Amino acid sequence: TRRSSDLQPLMENNCQFEYPQWLIITTTILKQCDCIFMLKNWEFSKGAKKEYALAKRLGMKIYYQDDVK
């Protein structure tokens, strides 16, 4: 299982990727995860909607920030 911390080296090196490149990176990592955590208002993010669709297609467990108390 991968975590968002796996992206840390990319962020620390100030990698300048365009949106399509980031989408490839995040979906590649997502494919190796067991679940996804959707932040509040994710429905308004083009990238988050694509990640959600991929998670659904892969049958992943989906958690929502709105459900966390």
Side-chain angles (χ1 to χ4, degrees):
T1 301
R2 294 195 179 259
R3 295 177 289 280
S4 61
S5 60
D6 294 334
L7 288 174
Q8 195 66 30
L10 297 172
M11 293 179 219
E12 287 176 355
N13 292 324
N14 291 325
C15 293
Q16 299 296 318
F17 293 114
E18 298 294 326
Y19 175 78
Q21 295 165 310
W22 275 116
L23 196 56
I24 291 169
I25 292 166
T26 59
T27 55
T28 298
I29 291 172
L30 181 59
K31 289 176 184 178
Q32 299 176 43
C33 295
D34 301 315
C35 63
I36 188 169
F37 185 84
M38 305 306 297
L39 297 175
K40 186 174 184 159
N41 297 318
W42 67 269
E43 304 94 336
F44 302 107
S45 166
K46 179 172 56 170
K49 288 191 283 189
K50 289 181 180 184
E51 291 168 349
Y52 172 83
L54 176 59
K56 289 287 276 188
R57 196 167 58 248
L58 295 174
M60 296 172 67
K61 177 71 177 165
I62 302 173
Y63 297 95
Y64 301 90
Q65 184 178 14
D66 290 334
D67 294 341
V68 176
K69 298 182 179 160

